Amino acid sequence: MIARPRLLSFVIALLLSVCWSLALARDASVDEATLTVFNRSIITFRSEFLGAKPAFRASRARMVIEEALNDGADLEIQVKPSPEGQLVMLGHRLAFVITSSDADPLLHENSESVAQRAAGNLQRAVEETRELRNPERMLKSAGKAVLASAVVLLLLWLIHRIRSKATTYLLRLASRKAASLRVGNTPLLDTHTLLSGLSQSLRILALGLAALLLYQWLSFVLSSFPYTRSWGERLNGYLLGIASEIMESIVGAIPDLGIAIAIFLLARLCISFAGQILHRLTLAQPDHPWLRTETVPTSRRLISIAIWLFALAMAYPYLPGAQTEAFKGLSVLLGLMLSLGASSIIGQGTAGLVLTYTGTLRVGEYVRIGEHEGTVVDMGLFTTRIRTGLGEELTLPNSMITSSVTKNYSRAVHGPGYIVDTVVTIGYDTPWRQVEAMLIEAARRTPGILVEPPPRVFQTALSDYYPEYRLVAQAVPTEPRPRAEVLSTLHANIQDVFNTHGVQIMSPHYMADPEDAKLVLTKDWYRTPAEPPEKS
């Protein structure tokens, strides 16, 4: 209950302070008064003088100046110092007095410089009054305005004609060039859209030139007459001010832009130097543990990206507009988008780098990744493509490869080639020597399987009902037969060989224990095509 009265008192005090500040600002603005003579600002009074407010001082000075101008005498403007301030004399009359309080505190001026500037403005007002009262000079000004209007109309007509001619010529040229830019029978550019955009661009350019020309014409016409000359000068000053600001911005940005360009050129030089070093290391030590031939392009790309990012970070403060709020907001937006949407991309890229630098896969090797099997045809930063022997091409994400068991059939072979293997399960009543001999015979009959190194058979398991035989052989990758075709031919030959020797390929299972034991007698150990060892 105590906090509410305190809060209410604080709010009331804040409102009163705001109102008081607004009242002071209004009083300050009311206390200032600008002396204007013949549509030209002479001086701004900012303080009282001998009890007279700024508005009264401006009104009295205007009356004195107009009275002196109406006399038509030759008026000399002088500035005389006095203890009260700077006296601005118009002939023998005192036009006004400038005190030290009338100086603008933001410009750090004194009363003397303010008086000199006011005297110059008053001199111009006097000259423009005399010009207005001279019919001959007014006729010359009117003639100049009419002549300028005629020239502007002629220039506007020329701009229209030049735009029409340029549009016709450029449209014909662009249409001919666009028709010639083709890939096969497909044009690269849409002629209608290109011509429409070019026509609109020329129209906007012509309108811009016409608007600038009319702006200059208006400024010239207003400056030709005494009463409107100050308006024309303001128009010229506004345009020149914009042009000056643009030029100052361009000139001011040149040194920083030069530094940024120098940083980027130095980065380009470092990238070229690093590429040469990698090339020399590869030639000197092609089997270096951390730098192999297939990792050189990726290493060069990573080094280039790292150098460019470092160069961009160094050159960022020197880029034009880098310190503006719009540029900072755009940088924050891009960072937020990358942080929210690039997690999976970064994961895929990291997995690609792991595969590249660990040498898990190489282009041309025959591998099995999970349930997918084929020859590696391309390894990218985000995906890996393998081609199966069945006419399929699979694109696998690198993150899936790093998280799966990979079986490489090409890495463990002697020389070029890949491994071909298959598993059969035959009952215990068939001699294992005969099974091994038949499997090796089937491998020898299969085109593409090498004789050296010779095929081998391994008994990988002794299960309850049958032993497991695994045939392992090496095939030649240069043969125009994919592994799937070689494996299919091998299976067909295994069936033919087993059928020839009267052995059925079947994995026995029993519902009950058989009466006869499933044994191989000694005399049957070397059934054809098994060969007994030579007796010494």
Side-chain angles (χ1 to χ4, degrees):
M1 298 300 294
I2 297 177
R4 290 184 179 179
R6 290 182 179 176
L7 180 60
L8 182 60
S9 302
F10 175 75
V11 172
I12 293 175
L14 181 62
L15 291 176
L16 290 176
S17 63
V18 172
C19 294
W20 180 254
S21 300
L22 292 176
L24 290 178
R26 184 185 63 183
D27 292 342
S29 63
V30 171
D31 286 342
E32 294 183 359
T34 301
L35 172 61
T36 304
V37 177
F38 208 67
N39 204 26
R40 183 176 294 279
S41 298
I42 307 299
I43 183 65
T44 299
F45 297 106
R46 294 182 172 86
S47 63
E48 296 183 4
F49 178 70
L50 299 178
K53 299 232 178 243
F56 180 78
R57 294 173 63 191
S59 177
R60 180 187 175 281
R62 188 181 300 107
M63 291 175 58
V64 172
I65 294 171
E66 290 177 354
E67 182 180 353
L69 292 176
N70 291 331
D71 289 345
D74 188 10
L75 303 176
E76 181 182 0
I77 301 173
Q78 299 178 353
V79 178
K80 297 181 179 181
S82 70
E84 291 82 7
Q86 301 293 326
L87 307 180
V88 180
M89 305 298 297
L90 183 60
H92 63 278
R93 295 180 176 87
L94 175 62
F96 48 86
V97 180
I98 298 177
T99 64
S100 58
S101 300
D102 292 328
D104 191 350
L106 299 178
L107 300 179
H108 303 288
E109 295 179 323
N110 53 24
S111 59
E112 184 177 355
S113 60
V114 175
Q116 293 295 334
R117 188 174 70 252
N121 293 334
L122 184 58
Q123 181 67 40
R124 298 190 64 181
V126 171
E127 293 175 356
E128 289 170 354
T129 304
R130 293 173 181 171
E131 183 181 351
L132 182 64
R133 294 173 180 176
N134 189 336
E136 183 179 355
R137 297 187 63 178
M138 291 300 296
L139 286 176
K140 289 182 180 179
S141 299
K144 291 180 181 179
V146 172
L147 180 61
S149 301
V151 172
V152 167
L153 290 176
L154 178 61
L155 292 177
L156 290 176
W157 179 79
L158 287 176
I159 290 175
H160 175 70
R161 294 292 299 172
I162 292 173
R163 184 188 70 84
S164 300
K165 296 290 185 181
T167 301
T168 303
Y169 173 75
L170 291 178
L171 290 181
R172 187 183 301 112
L173 180 63
S175 178
R176 185 168 61 253
K177 293 295 184 181
S180 62
L181 294 176
R182 292 176 174 269
V183 176
N185 295 325
T186 305
L188 292 178
L189 300 176
D190 185 5
T191 307
H192 178 72
T193 304
L194 176 63
L195 299 182
S196 177
L198 183 60
S199 177
Q200 291 295 331
S201 300
L202 292 175
R203 182 176 302 174
I204 292 173
L205 179 61
L207 289 176
L209 291 175
L212 182 62
L213 187 62
L214 290 174
Y215 187 94
Q216 288 294 329
W217 168 81
L218 181 61
S219 174
F220 178 80
V221 171
L222 293 177
S223 300
S224 300
F225 299 97
Y227 188 78
T228 59
R229 186 165 296 156
S230 62
W231 296 345
E233 292 174 353
R234 292 174 189 173
L235 289 178
N236 275 331
Y238 179 73
L239 185 61
L240 291 176
I242 293 178
S244 176
E245 289 181 2
I246 294 175
M247 291 303 297
E248 288 179 0
S249 300
I250 294 175
V251 173
I254 288 176
D256 292 341
L257 188 60
I259 295 175
I261 293 175
I263 292 174
F264 289 133
L265 291 177
L266 184 61
R268 182 68 178 271
L269 181 63
C270 292
I271 291 172
S272 177
F273 182 69
Q276 294 178 3
I277 291 177
L278 289 176
H279 181 66
R280 292 179 180 177
L281 289 176
T282 306
L283 294 178
Q285 296 178 349
D287 296 328
H288 198 279
W290 60 272
L291 186 64
R292 298 186 303 274
T293 304
E294 62 270 13
T295 62
V296 169
T298 304
S299 301
R300 183 182 291 112
R301 192 176 300 114
L302 289 176
I303 293 174
S304 300
I305 292 174
I307 293 176
W308 280 122
L309 289 178
F310 181 75
L312 182 61
M314 294 294 294
Y316 177 83
Y318 301 102
L319 295 177
Q323 305 302 325
T324 60
E325 297 298 328
F327 205 95
K328 293 178 181 177
L330 181 61
S331 302
V332 172
L333 178 61
L334 291 177
L336 183 62
M337 293 173 60
L338 288 175
S339 61
L340 293 179
S343 58
S344 60
I345 297 177
I346 294 175
Q348 296 287 353
T350 304
L353 294 178
V354 170
L355 292 176
T356 300
Y357 284 97
T358 57
T360 305
L361 305 177
R362 294 175 186 173
V363 175
E365 293 183 338
Y366 198 94
V367 297
R368 182 177 182 85
I369 303 170
E371 59 182 10
H372 307 291
E373 184 177 305
T375 304
V376 179
V377 294
D378 180 68
M379 291 184 62
L381 186 61
F382 303 106
T383 59
T384 297
R385 291 187 294 116
I386 64 174
R387 185 172 298 153
T388 67
L390 304 176
E392 302 171 337
E393 186 170 289
L394 306 179
T395 301
L396 306 178
N398 288 333
S399 60
M400 188 200 80
I401 299 175
T402 55
S403 60
S404 303
V405 176
T406 302
K407 182 184 293 186
N408 197 319
Y409 294 99
S410 301
R411 189 65 56 85
V413 300
H414 299 284
Y418 53 82
I419 297 298
V420 176
D421 64 335
T422 187
V423 177
V424 293
T425 55
I426 308 298
Y428 284 103
D429 53 349
T430 303
W432 61 267
R433 296 176 181 83
Q434 183 187 24
V435 175
E436 290 186 3
M438 287 188 295
L439 290 174
I440 292 175
E441 177 65 24
R444 289 172 180 171
R445 293 185 182 183
T446 304
I449 292 182
L450 299 179
V451 178
E452 290 293 335
R456 298 184 62 185
V457 178
F458 300 91
Q459 297 188 39
T460 58
L462 297 176
S463 302
D464 290 339
Y465 308 124
Y466 46 77
E468 295 182 5
Y469 302 91
R470 185 181 187 90
L471 172 64
V472 180
Q474 181 176 341
V476 181
T478 55
E479 293 287 336
R481 300 181 183 86
R483 185 175 184 275
E485 183 177 344
V486 174
L487 197 58
S488 176
T489 306
L490 176 61
H491 289 163
N493 290 330
I494 290 174
Q495 295 182 63
D496 291 341
V497 172
F498 274 60
N499 289 332
T500 300
H501 295 282
V503 177
Q504 62 178 3
I505 302 175
M506 181 177 292
S507 302
H509 291 265
Y510 301 102
M511 299 299 295
D513 189 31
E515 296 181 358
D516 299 329
K518 297 299 181 180
L519 300 175
V520 178
L521 300 178
T522 305
K523 62 183 181 66
D524 296 328
W525 281 7
Y526 298 100
R527 293 179 186 169
T528 57
E531 297 179 359
E534 296 180 359
K535 295 182 180 180
S536 57

